[in-house]
Amino acid sequence: DDTLRYANHYLYEHAYRTIEDMLTDKRPVSFKDAVFAVENALLDGGGNYPAYDYKIGLIANNVLYDVKQLRSSMPSDATAKNLAITLFFAENRISNNYQRCTYDLQSLYNDGGLVGGLVLSLLQNWKGTCRSMPYLFKIIADEIGAPSYIACAPMHFYIKHQDNVGKWWCYETTRYAYLEEQHIYELNHISPTAVQSGLYAKPLTDKEALCLCLYDLCYFYEKKTGFYSNAFVRKCYQLGLRYYPISTLRSLEINDIKYQL
């Protein structure tokens, strides 16, 4: 059994079971908890959940203060909440210790953005990537009850939310800006077919967002062990594809099948 050749495999099993329990309604869905479990596995158990939870709670409380200031001038409570989170990323405010988040270019040079892509890393140094920043946006949104959704592009994530009249807005956390969706398609070379299929640009449900964590779990597992085809990888993508069938999880399935062949 090749899973026995990696001493910290149990951390990956724990992350898998955490997400499986959420997807099968054995425990409440929590993107925050799923992200921590997956990143803690990559860090060989080095994460500190109480500190992680406390910092997110502190950010959420400070963002809610901004919501109170904005609410009277906004057309809806949801719009006020989403705008307050964008200010956390875009401006120097009390919620980010007066230091807005910046793109972690150094991590790209060092390890292809692996560490810089972690929410745990972003919370420590306010530097992140197009994974960790939209992930944190979603986590904060869940904490304060803002209807926000992660959307996928090739090797990229961004945020989508609706205004009071039902129009979808696209927020790029790494650019601190709202962009027209057509502009996002052009920047990321997204074809109309990929949009129509639901592979890219759709606002993900909470359970589909959990499936992103399953993809991350397999990606981190391969980085640690070199394995991209075994029973663990197989059960991860098979579980994810039950809840998010048209997704990049298919690439894990294809690689696994190619290896077996």
Side-chain angles (χ1 to χ4, degrees), residues 123-224:
L123 289 171
Q124 287 183 345
N125 57 27
W126 299 124
K127 293 181 180 180
T129 68
C130 63
R131 176 192 180 271
S132 55
M133 291 167 79
Y135 273 31
L136 181 57
F137 192 114
K138 171 64 176 170
I139 289 169
I140 297 169
D142 289 347
E143 289 288 296
I144 68 172
S148 298
Y149 307 90
I150 294 174
C152 302
M155 300 179 67
H156 185 68
F157 301 106
Y158 59 101
I159 293 293
K160 295 183 76 168
H161 64 81
Q162 286 180 296
D163 62 19
N164 59 304
V165 296
K167 177 184 175 181
W168 284 102
W169 291 77
C170 303
Y171 186 72
E172 284 280 3
T173 53
T174 54
R175 293 171 178 258
Y176 320 110
Y178 284 100
L179 299 180
E180 289 294 330
E181 192 138 49
Q182 186 59 42
H183 190 191
I184 290 177
Y185 298 165
E186 293 168 0
L187 283 172
N188 294 283
H189 308 289
I190 302 175
S191 70
T193 302
V195 175
Q196 292 164 9
S197 71
L199 177 61
Y200 295 132
K202 71 174 279 192
L204 301 185
T205 67
D206 286 348
K207 286 194 174 181
E208 287 170 339
L210 291 179
C211 295
L212 294 181
C213 295
L214 284 172
Y215 181 92
D216 292 340
L217 189 64
C218 289
Y219 177 71
F220 294 161
Y221 183 75
E222 182 183 351
K223 287 291 184 182
K224 281 287 186 178

Side-chain angles (χ1 to χ4, degrees), residues 1 12 19 56 60 68 82 113 120 142 149 155 198 202 221 223 227 259:
D1 184 354
Y12 288 82
I19 298 168
I56 288 170
K68 292 178 183 179
N82 280 308
L120 288 170
D142 289 347
Y149 307 90
M155 300 179 67
K202 71 174 279 192
Y221 183 75
K223 287 291 184 182
F227 293 120
Y259 180 83

Side-chain angles (χ1 to χ4, degrees), residues 77-97:
D77 186 63
T79 300
K81 287 178 176 178
N82 280 308
L83 181 58
I85 304 173
T86 67
L87 294 177
F88 165 81
F89 284 95
E91 298 182 358
N92 297 332
R93 306 182 73 82
I94 190 172
S95 54
N96 55 30
N97 293 325

Side-chain angles (χ1 to χ4, degrees), residues 9 31 34 42 56 67 100 109 114 121 129 134 139 155 157 170-171 206 221 228 238 242 247:
H9 180 81
F31 188 65
L42 177 68
I56 288 170
V67 173
R100 74 175 186 178
Y109 301 142
L114 188 65
S121 176
T129 68
I139 289 169
M155 300 179 67
F157 301 106
C170 303
Y171 186 72
D206 286 348
Y221 183 75
Y228 61 89
Q238 287 175 347
R242 282 166 48 194
S247 70

